[in-house]
Every structure is written in structure tokens, then in C-alpha cells.
Amino acid sequence: MMSISQKSSLLVGENYYFTFNQSIQHLLSEIHKETSDWSHFIDTFYQLMQSKVDPPLESIWAYSALSFKSRKTTNGSPRELFRFISGCSGSCSASKSIALLAPVVFEVYILVNDLGVKKTTKEVNSLIGAILGYISVCCSKGMSEESDSNFSVSVTDLVSIWMDGKGDLKKFLPLISDEMRREISDEFTSVNSFAGVVMFEVFLLKLCLDLRGGIRGLELENELKKWIVGSITGFQSFYFYETLVKTLLEPALPVDSLLSPEDASFLRKILYDAAILVEYSFLRLEKAINLPADRVRSLAVKRLIITSKAIEYFRKNGDRKRAISYTSSFSNSQLHSQIVKFFTGQIGVEEETISRLKGQPPKALIRTLLFLDGQGMRIFDDRISKSHAQSVVHDSMSDSDKPALKAEGKKTDAELQFFIDNGGGNKDDDGETNMLMNDAFVAAAHTMRNAENVGRKRKDGSLDGRKKKSKLSENPESDAEKLSSSSDDGSVSSDSESEVENPISDEDVE
């Protein structure tokens, strides 16, 4: 009888891919027939998995599903599943290793959903922490520099292997929007994109657990903001950030089963701050040279849309100062200059239009892009993006979206809130980098909270329209005001003795 090693030695070149494709199709055929026993495929996929240093994702997916399910009656905990899959994918690329965690995240979601609001356990938090740690290690391999590839079979078919023949993406991927699930099911999605979805779901589970165990308020808000910004900066993943932005396009976060409406609203505000008010270095155009240009441009447009949605969201919820802060921050962001750069080089764009693009706040800029799209220029990558853009422009409060004014040569507090990360910095300096980054973000949050003090009358009754100076506290965690600014090279500096302007007031905008 031929040993496993002898069989594996025959799986080379074209013979490998012939056997691989044939085995996958046979397995899927058996699953669709609702056959109850698929254990005889385990040996085949084990050979396929062992015959390559970086085997196809589908071979590990099928082997781990069949092997683990065959012994689930004895011990099938999510932690064991995590260890099993991470062990099988140790030699794989970062994106494959993360994408293969999808079944683990599905099992953890079920566990979290069954815990109840007041029954969060240390074991679940510990498991989620371990998964996030593993993802961070994978990302440190340089995930953004990997060549992307598509699944060779549909994700729906792969899901059916784990879910007893049912390719129910809504059940398997519960923490993304219906639109994203449609994108995944309608085409052979890329492995990198799917890895970004898996990362986002673990990320969201962690936040939901933290919100369940905490008390809504400024302290929890600052704590979560620091963790979110640290995670995004640490991952350095275009695809993870893209999933976050796509989620914020939707009117509601996909957390109905995990959070109360009040907690979900609280989380949305924090995610808006982290996604919009922070300049992430991995999103700069020079860092995105390995990514498809259309995808980079598409994300920039989506970021523009969520910025406008966030401004409107805060206005409608009575936080006009925060809305003004977002508008002012956008005008000084790399996103604004990226969008102008993307579209000013297009044939047929007149000088007058270019000049308008450069000075427009988010909603007005979207209006101009819709006009250019109507003239035949390809601006929006899909119907959904265009629909979101149109909904922003048609909003009843559109007339109030005016550019913020500021004194020439001076940076306002709102501008300084737009923190620039340094891409993770030197690995030897991670602790110092994270501390500086966290302090800067907390300072931004404090500045927005203190914006309501702007525009008050002086003691003599006159409006304080001049620049009011104030000393900044050396303690970033206190309620005293502190501001951190970015140097030209992108590093963060904090100066407790510096003097800054107060944020822009309502009167400056009107």
C-alpha cells in the first residue's frame, strides 16, 4: 500500500492542480447531495496540503473543516479550532493565514452571542485577544506587499463545507453588511479582501465585548479610540480599513444582536473619529503602489462619502461643533489632496473645475464629482457608491455644508486633530510610538469636547473673535486641554507649553 508521503510526491506540477480541482469538485458535489459522511476526503486534502509550502487556501479550508468536524463530538471548542487552523496554515502567506480564520470567528461570534449582556467571560476575551495577536503577527510579515489571488471556488461553496451543506453567508459572516456579502457571493472574491473582512469581524467582536463590560462615557470613549487607532496603525492593512469604511457607509452597524441601539450609536461615533480624524501613513499614495489604482481611488471616494455622512450625523444629533471640526480637518487632510489629484489629471476636466475641487468641503466636493460622473468620467466604482453619494447631496441639510474659515498661516485646533501616524515606526520603538499616538488621539478628543467653549462672550460683553491663547496641561489623561501636533516628517510631537488657537466657532462658518 502506498504511504501518504509517496502519494504526496506524485502531486507535482499539472498533476497537483488536476488532483486539487477534481477533489474540490467531487467534495462539493457530495455536499450538495447532502451526503452525511465526507471523511474519506480527509486523506486527499491532507496530501494536497502537505505537497506545497504555500498550498491553495481551499485545500487547508477543506482539510481543516472535514478533519475537525469528524472529531467535534469529543472536543470542538473555538480555541481548539483556532489552534488547529493556525497550525495548518503556518507556512502560508499572511492573507491566507488570516482568511482561514473565518470559521474560528464564526464560532466565536456564536459564543459571544450566547453570553448575554452581563455574562462576558475572561475566556472569551482571552481567545479574541489571542486571535488578534495572531493577526498582528501575520500582518507584520508585510501583508500589503503580497500579490493578491482569487478563490478558485466561490466563498459560498467553501462556507457550505463548514456548515453542513448550507452556504449561508449571512449566518457565517454576521458582522458585515448585506452589500459586502453580496459582493463576496457574486464573484470569486480576492483572498486579501476576504482576509480584511475576517480581521474586521474579530475587531468588531472585541469592541462589542468592551462596550458590554464598560460604562458609556468619556473614559470608555477615549480608551476605545486609542485601541482602535492602535489596531488600524498596527495592522497597516488597506483591506481591513476598506471594510471599516464600507461598514460606515451603511445607516446602521451590523451589531444588532450584540449591542443595544445606544451602545451601537456610541460605537459609530468612535469609529467615525478613528476612521476620519486620523491620517494613516499606509493610505498615502506612495505606500499603495502595489494596489490596483482603481481600488485606491474607489476607497478615497468612499472615505469622502463617510466624512460627509459623519458631518451630517453629528449635526442631526446636535453636535454642531464636532461637525465643524470634521469639515475643517478634511480641508487639511491628505484625503482632500488625493481626490483632487485623482481627478484633475483626467481629460476634459476644465481649469475652473479643478480650482473648485481644491477649495470644496466634503458635500460640495461630492456634488462636483457627481457632476463629472454625469459628464462621462468614471468616478464611482459601483451603483452602491453612487447611490450613497447621491443621498449625501440630496440631504435636507446640504446648504449648511460650507467651508470653515481660518486665519492664514495659523493651524486651528480642528486641523491639529487630524493626527498623522508614522506607519508603526521602528519596531524597536513600538511602545513609545503607541504611547505618543494614543496621547495625540486622546488630545484630539479632548479638544473636540472643549470646542463648545468657543465663541463665548468676554467679560466686557464683546465677542471673542480674536485668537485666545491658553497653556496646555502636561497630563493627556486629565480634563485639562492638551494638543499634540505632527511634525513635517510625520512623527508626533507634544508640547505642553505651546500656545494654540481655539477651535473654529459657529460664527466662523456662517
Side-chain angles (χ1 to χ4, degrees):
M1 183 176 178
M2 189 178 295
S3 67
I4 289 178
S5 60
Q6 288 174 319
K7 290 179 181 179
S8 298
S9 66
L10 299 176
L11 296 175
V12 293
E14 291 184 4
N15 187 43
Y16 178 92
Y17 289 102
F18 174 79
T19 304
F20 166 71
N21 289 325
Q22 190 177 55
S23 299
I24 282 286
Q25 294 307 319
H26 284 172
L27 173 60
L28 292 175
S29 177
E30 290 293 312
I31 288 174
H32 292 153
K33 290 177 185 176
E34 299 184 356
T35 305
S36 58
D37 183 15
W38 310 317
S39 59
H40 56 284
F41 285 99
I42 294 176
D43 183 57
T44 300
F45 283 103
Y46 179 77
Q47 294 172 45
L48 289 165
M49 186 179 70
Q50 291 293 316
S51 296
K52 281 188 173 294
V53 175
D54 189 8
L57 178 148
E58 293 85 351
S59 65
I60 303 176
W61 185 291
Y63 169 72
S64 58
L66 299 175
S67 179
F68 196 78
K69 286 170 74 67
S70 70
R71 54 178 177 164
K72 189 170 182 178
T73 53
T74 56
N75 189 1
S77 70
R79 185 174 289 277
E80 185 188 356
L81 177 59
F82 170 53
R83 289 172 179 163
F84 183 68
I85 290 181
S86 58
C88 290
S89 60
S91 63
C92 292
S93 64
S95 55
K96 283 184 185 178
S97 297
I98 295 171
L100 283 163
L101 294 179
V104 181
V105 180
F106 168 61
E107 294 291 342
V108 173
Y109 169 80
I110 293 174
L111 192 59
V112 172
N113 205 31
D114 290 342
L115 285 172
V117 176
K118 296 183 179 179
K119 296 182 180 179
T120 301
T121 64
K122 290 183 179 179
E123 290 77 11
V124 178
N125 272 309
S126 174
L127 175 56
I128 291 176
I131 296 171
L132 287 167
Y134 177 80
I135 289 173
S136 294
V137 171
C138 291
C139 290
S140 68
K141 297 177 183 179
M143 179 179 170
S144 61
E145 298 173 4
E146 293 178 354
S147 58
D148 200 4
S149 60
N150 290 343
F151 287 98
S152 59
V153 299
S154 73
V155 174
T156 303
D157 281 337
L158 288 178
V159 168
S160 69
I161 300 175
W162 274 101
M163 299 184 68
D164 300 323
K166 299 171 184 175
D168 188 345
L169 285 184
K170 186 166 186 176
K171 185 175 181 181
F172 190 77
L173 298 171
L175 296 176
I176 59 173
S177 68
D178 289 338
E179 181 57 34
M180 277 190 275
R181 280 191 287 266
R182 276 192 289 271
E183 289 177 2
I184 290 172
S185 64
D186 287 347
E187 56 188 42
F188 293 105
T189 191
S190 78
V191 174
N192 282 347
S193 294
F194 191 76
V197 167
V198 173
M199 292 167 69
F200 179 75
E201 288 208 316
V202 185
F203 167 86
L204 206 52
L205 278 173
K206 156 74 173 169
L207 290 171
C208 288
L209 281 180
D210 286 347
L211 274 167
R212 282 181 173 188
I215 300 173
R216 287 196 309 273
L218 186 60
E219 184 178 351
L220 181 60
E221 181 179 338
N222 287 336
E223 181 183 330
L224 294 182
K225 281 178 185 176
K226 288 189 289 184
W227 183 82
I228 293 169
V229 174
S231 297
I232 296 173
T233 302
F235 291 156
Q236 298 279 299
S237 170
F238 174 92
Y239 298 96
F240 166 72
Y241 183 83
E242 180 184 54
T243 307
L244 169 61
V245 170
K246 285 181 176 180
T247 301
L248 289 173
L249 280 175
E250 301 299 326
L253 297 178
V255 293
D256 290 348
S257 63
L258 300 177
L259 296 179
S260 67
E262 294 79 14
D263 280 343
S265 178
F266 183 72
L267 178 58
R268 175 177 282 274
K269 180 175 73 171
I270 296 171
L271 289 175
Y272 271 146
D273 279 358
I276 297 170
L277 287 180
V278 183
E279 293 270 36
Y280 297 104
S281 61
F282 68 90
L283 295 175
R284 295 172 187 162
L285 294 182
E286 62 269 23
K287 295 287 186 72
I289 55 176
N290 295 319
L291 298 168
D294 285 351
R295 191 147 193 170
V296 174
R297 184 182 65 182
S298 172
L299 177 59
V301 171
K302 287 181 174 66
R303 290 172 65 196
L304 170 64
I305 295 171
I306 68 162
T307 300
S308 188
K309 281 180 175 286
I311 291 169
E312 202 60 46
Y313 175 84
F314 289 121
R315 282 188 178 134
K316 287 182 175 179
N317 285 278
D319 195 348
R320 186 167 175 79
K321 298 293 184 181
R322 201 183 195 102
I324 293 169
S325 174
Y326 270 51
T327 303
S328 182
S329 292
F330 172 77
S331 67
N332 296 281
S333 70
Q334 62 172 339
L335 174 60
H336 188 279
S337 58
Q338 278 183 10
I339 291 173
V340 172
K341 184 175 181 179
F342 281 139
F343 300 112
T344 54
Q346 301 291 326
I347 297 175
V349 180
E350 300 176 352
E351 258 334 293
E352 182 182 351
T353 303
I354 293 174
S355 165
R356 286 169 55 201
L357 283 171
K358 290 180 180 178
Q360 290 180 336
K363 191 172 294 182
L365 185 52
I366 291 172
R367 189 180 294 112
T368 301
L369 294 182
L370 282 168
F371 170 78
L372 293 175
D373 186 80
Q375 298 300 305
M377 186 184 296
R378 185 168 176 258
I379 305 292
F380 303 96
D381 62 328
D382 53 45
R383 178 183 58 80
I384 300 300
S385 291
K386 188 170 182 178
S387 175
H388 281 297
Q390 289 171 334
S391 70
V392 166
V393 169
H394 295 156
D395 193 283
S396 61
M397 299 183 75
S398 61
D399 290 339
S400 62
D401 189 18
K402 301 176 182 179
L405 305 176
K406 63 181 183 295
E408 186 175 352
K410 287 281 188 178
K411 283 187 177 292
T412 67
D413 285 356
E415 291 175 62
L416 295 175
Q417 286 167 21
F418 216 103
F419 168 67
I420 302 177
D421 84 274
N422 66 355
N426 189 308
K427 290 183 180 180
D428 295 331
D429 298 323
D430 280 348
E432 182 180 356
T433 297
N434 287 339
M435 188 160 55
L436 288 169
M437 175 186 63
N438 291 344
D439 287 350
F441 201 80
V442 172
H446 286 170
T447 305
M448 283 185 286
R449 185 168 61 88
N450 290 327
E452 64 190 40
N453 294 323
V454 178
R456 289 180 177 175
K457 293 184 178 181
R458 290 183 180 273
K459 290 181 179 179
D460 61 3
S462 62
L463 283 174
D464 185 5
R466 291 172 289 176
K467 300 179 182 66
K468 182 180 178 182
K469 307 288 187 174
S470 62
K471 293 289 183 179
L472 302 178
S473 167
E474 293 184 2
N475 180 9
E477 300 296 339
S478 72
D479 285 336
E481 296 176 33
K482 177 179 183 290
L483 210 58
S484 298
S485 61
S486 305
S487 60
D488 291 339
D489 63 1
S491 61
V492 181
S493 61
S494 298
D495 186 357
S496 62
E497 294 302 317
S498 64
E499 294 183 334
V500 295
E501 288 183 65
N502 276 321
I504 300 170
S505 69
D506 279 359
E507 291 78 14
D508 292 324
V509 181
E510 292 302 328

